[in-house]
Amino acid sequence: MTAFAPGTPIRVKADFPELRGPCHIRTPHYLRGREGVVEKPLGAYRNPEDLAFARPAASIPLYHVRFDQPALWNEGEAGDTVLVELYEHWLEPV
């Protein structure tokens, strides 16, 4: 079961676990704290942030999330977008 349906506005958590110690992060810095829209759920996969350290890894839903490109980098045309795969534990509702 996924928490976010296609079309749901979300925000990527503004969290920086790398400041708390060694970790493996799959969420780009430039997206943290940014708003986007869920494009579609991709299924559940084992958490690579745990797998990188050989820890038990729960399966977590993964999503395609669309972001407005000009809002991210102050370049591009209106309507240009960036599509990124993000795990559910990094997303929060807007």
Side-chain angles (χ1 to χ4, degrees):
M1 178 76 123
T2 59
F4 302 106
T8 303
I10 58 85
R11 178 180 302 109
V12 179
K13 292 180 181 176
D15 188 19
F16 294 86
E18 59 271 27
L19 298 177
R20 297 189 291 274
C23 61
H24 173 75
I25 305 296
R26 293 290 308 255
T27 301
H29 284 243
Y30 65 86
L31 292 177
R32 297 179 198 177
R34 301 297 190 123
E35 294 182 11
V37 175
V38 171
E39 196 69 23
K40 71 177 186 176
L42 300 173
Y45 300 90
R46 294 177 64 204
N47 185 353
E49 295 175 4
D50 289 326
L51 289 174
F53 290 93
R55 297 186 296 235
S59 290
I60 301 173
L62 181 68
Y63 298 87
H64 267 161
V65 181
R66 180 176 31 86
F67 296 87
D68 179 54
Q69 179 182 326
L72 292 177
W73 297 310
N74 295 317
E75 64 180 45
E77 304 292 325
D80 288 348
T81 61
V82 176
L83 189 66
V84 181
E85 294 175 353
L86 296 168
Y87 281 91
E88 186 172 274
H89 67 283
W90 275 94
L91 307 179
E92 55 192 15
V94 173

